[in-house]
Each structure stands twice: as C-alpha cells, then as structure tokens.
Amino acid sequence: MDGSSVKIGCDCDHLAAHQTLLSHTEAVEVALAQVQPITQTEKVGLSAAHGRITATRIVAAGAMPSFDNSAMDGFALRLDDLSGRCCLPVVGTVAAGDAPRDLPAGTALRIYTGAPLPRGASAVVMVEACIDKGHKVHIETPPAPGANIRRAGSDQRAGQMLLPAGTQLAPHHIGLLAANGVRDVTVTRRPRVALFSTGDEVTDGDCLPGRIKDANRPMLSALLARDGAEVHDLGILPDDAAATEAAFRALGNAYDLILTTGAVSMGGKDHVRAALCAAGGRIEAWRVALKPGKPVMFGSLNDAAVTGLPGNPMAVHVGYYMFLQPQLARLTGAAPQPFAEAPARADFDWQRKSGRAEVFPVCLIGHDTDGLPVLRRLGQGVSATLLPLAQADGMAIVAADCAGVAPGDMLHWHPFNTFGGCA
Ligand SMILES: Nc1nc2c(c(=O)[nH]1)N[C@H]1C(S)=C(S)[C@@H](COP(=O)(O)OP(=O)(O)OC[C@H]3O[C@@H](n4cnc5c(N)ncnc54)[C@H](O)[C@@H]3O)O[C@H]1N2
Ligand code: MOO
C-alpha cells in the first residue's frame, strides 16, 4: 500500500484529511465526551487505598479523642487544691496506655502525654512550668482550668464526616482513617486502560537497523499508573490493518479506555483509524491544531473511549497531559483540570509559525519581581526526542495565533513536581 490513501472505511469517512483542524480546547471537549464516570465500586484494605477515590462518604464511628487525656508531660491536679497553697504531694504516675484512675484529693499525679486524665483532675501543668521535687511538685502560677487537657470529642464527634465521597486518598487521609479504626474503604473501580504501541519499526528487543526502541509504552504506563489507572500493556501492534482490527476486536468490552500511539497520520501504514472503524468502533474527531500532536484521534469502541495519540514521543507526552489526564479524571468522577494554566513569564525571543497551539519544554530560571516564574524554552520543537523534556521543569503553551514570544511576555505553563533548574 502506498502512502497516498487516507480514506477511512466506515461511517467515519466524513473526517477527511483536508478538514479544518479542531482547536485543542475543542479537542479536549471531544475527548471528555467519550468517557463517563465509572460507577462500579470495590472494597480495598487501607494499605492498598493510597491514591484511590472514595465512593462513599466516610463517617466517624466514634469521638476523637475517645477519652480525656493529657496533651503534655507534667502533673495532673485539681485547681481547687491550689487555693491557698502551691505545693502538692505527687502520689503516682499515669502513662499513655494506662487504665484511667482517680486523682486522690489534695494530690497531684505525674502524667505523660497521651495518658488518660485521672478522674477528678481539672488541669495539667507542664513539667517546665513547675518545680519537680520528686515526691512533691511546686507550682508558682496555677494553670488555667482545662489547661493541657485534650477532651474526649474535641477533635471530632461520633457521626462527623471524615471524608466526603470523591476524595482521592492521600497519606494523611489514610492516617486519619487508620486512627479511626477503618480497615477497608469502598472506592471507585480504577479506570482500566488498554495500551498499545504501533509500528513495525518499534521494538522492546534489540534494535536491528531501521528499528527503534519503544519509548511510548513505558512512558504511558508510568503516567497512567501514577494517575491511578489499571494499565493493561498489550504490546506493540504491527503496521498491519487486519492485525490492528483483530486486536481491537479482541478487546471486547473489558476496558474504559483504549490508548494507542502511532499510525494515526497520513501514511499508507497508518491503520489505526480504519481498523477501529472496521472493528465496529467510531471516530469522533481527528487532527487538532496542536504542535506536537496534530494527528491525534478520538473515538469509541463498544463502551470504551479510544484515544489514538501520534507516534512521536513528545506528542505522546503532551497528548497525555492535554487529553488523557482529563479523560482519566472524568472516569474517576473528578473534575478535569485544564492543561497548563499557571501564569509565567518568558525570558526568550522566539519567532514561530502561527496556526497551531504549541507546547514546549521549559526550564525555570528564577522569578520576576511579581513572583512569577521566569521560563526559558528548551529544545528545537522536535517531537521525536524526549531529551529536552527530561531537562525541563515543565511544559509551556502558546496559543495558535501566537507569532512569536519576546522576553517579558506572559506564558502559561504546567510545572512538573520536581525542579531541577536550568542546566
Ligand atoms: N503528510 C503528513 N505527514 C505527517 C503529518 C501530517 O500532518 N501530514 N503529521 C506529522 C506529525 S505532526 C506526526 S506527530 C506524525 C505522527 O504520525 P503517526 O501517528 O502516524 O505516527 P507514526 O508515523 O507511527 O510515528 C511517528 C514517529 O514516531 C516514532 N514512533 C512511533 N511509535 C513510537 C514508540 N512507541 N516509541 C518511540 N517512537 C515511536 C516513529 O518511528 C516515527 O518516527 O506524523 C507526521 N507525518
Ligand atoms: O504532532 Mo507532530 O508530534 O508535531 O510531530
């Protein structure tokens, strides 16, 4: 087959190659329209709950703390016993983990942080605020009523909501649930994502002449797993129409999202679109005014969304953040976040061809007097390499009609979590 034919053999023929490109914001809407929030739930143990999304609100079974206890190391006493005197005999010690006990009248008990407050005590005086004489304690200034006492129920009431439904469980949520004796959490099922690379040249093995290593599947697996998806890595599809169609058919209805890279452009071996249609799927949109990432495709197969990213690895990375992250967010019931909205300033001069919004790697070189990040552009706008991205602190975007950038111009960017600084 030569490279001239791009006709799609299904009801998706209306998406001709000469059509006007979608804007990237329109494309995000199309991408989002292919997915619906997952309604199935499952129970997971707390140790496996990190990053999962709560499917129900979680309510406190009991009050916290569950008993009055000391917030400090010091002495538990009755304030009334300090009227007219400033010295009390110390008749014992109560430590964290001890059973509650009574405070004999006219005495103090040595008490440690977290220990149950002795019945009858009305304040705890910190050890630093008194003179510890071993068998007695000298208190110059009486503490305020209730001082250094953590009252039962003062942190939370029984029945109080701890976490609303839709919470993505972070380590501090896990700690809160553990403190409340929660062992299992009902969470939304994770999005199931089928992942393919395509290309006769792409290999996981040795690179014979003309072949290249698969960069896209490892990168996407990492991104998807980080963002809470259940990744099903289905390998590399050959540039073969029948094999691609068969692979789509074999997926059945087991996935929420089918993600491919490569074979969505204009070449005679770009079979993903036609194979999707031949397998009974549908293409909703193809080609976006975005650099890199122009030939991206959005569609569906059975109940799954299908997103076909281009093959160039930088286009895959940009496409993931722009389209896949919002799709995953919607699948998990979260609000999709727009890509690269943080304001920043350019420190560079750059003339560019307008027509497509462009995403490019940037490094953070400092902040301006308003505290805005100042960014330097990295790389040459080549979407086949990930090296400039690996040296970057984030990705910036300019609008389709932007013909150039000058130092001091406003930009928008997506910072990565780690800041390496400019090399
Ligand atoms: N006549 C036109 N040709 C091209 C256009 C166009 O508009 N008209 N768009 C160009 C753009 S932009 C892109 S991006 C690419 C995307 O093409 P495909 O999605 O069909 O991707 P492939 O041709 O399969 O691969 C492109 C490139 O990426 C390499 N690749 C593919 N998969 C991987 C992988 N898993 N790991 C690493 N690298 C991979 C592949 O070898 C190619 O070099 O089309 C342009 N052409
Ligand atoms: O969209 Mo392509 O990645 O510009 O080369």
Side-chain angles (χ1 to χ4, degrees), residues 284-339:
E284 293 300 335
W286 172 50
R287 308 211 313 154
V288 176
L290 175 65
K291 183 174 187 289
K294 181 168 79 169
V296 62
M297 177 214 78
F298 304 101
S300 57
L301 178 64
N302 301 318
D303 293 336
V306 184
T307 301
L309 296 175
N312 279 319
M314 175 70 186
V316 169
H317 193 266
V318 169
Y320 180 85
Y321 278 89
M322 193 166 281
F323 307 117
L324 270 301
Q325 261 196 345
Q327 286 186 312
L328 283 181
R330 175 154 293 172
L331 281 168
T332 58
Q337 300 300 311
F339 173 73

Side-chain angles (χ1 to χ4, degrees), residues 1 71 119 124 269 276 288 300 302:
M1 193 175 179
R119 282 179 288 267
V124 170
K269 288 188 152 195
L276 175 62
V288 176
S300 57
N302 301 318

Side-chain angles (χ1 to χ4, degrees), residues 74-123:
F75 295 90
L77 48 82
R78 267 188 198 80
L79 285 169
D80 289 351
D81 290 339
L82 287 179
S83 47
R85 59 177 162 161
C86 56
C87 207
L88 294 173
V90 178
V91 295
T93 300
V94 52
D98 287 354
R101 55 187 282 189
D102 294 326
L103 174 68
T107 71
L109 278 167
R110 191 181 300 278
I111 193 164
Y112 298 140
T113 306
L117 188 75
R119 282 179 288 267
S122 55

Side-chain angles (χ1 to χ4, degrees), residues 7 31 38 63 111 152 225 233 280 289 362 368:
K7 206 162 164 56
I38 293 168
I111 193 164
D233 182 344
V362 285
D368 71 5

Side-chain angles (χ1 to χ4, degrees), residues 367-373:
H367 290 83
D368 71 5
T369 49
D370 299 325
L372 278 183

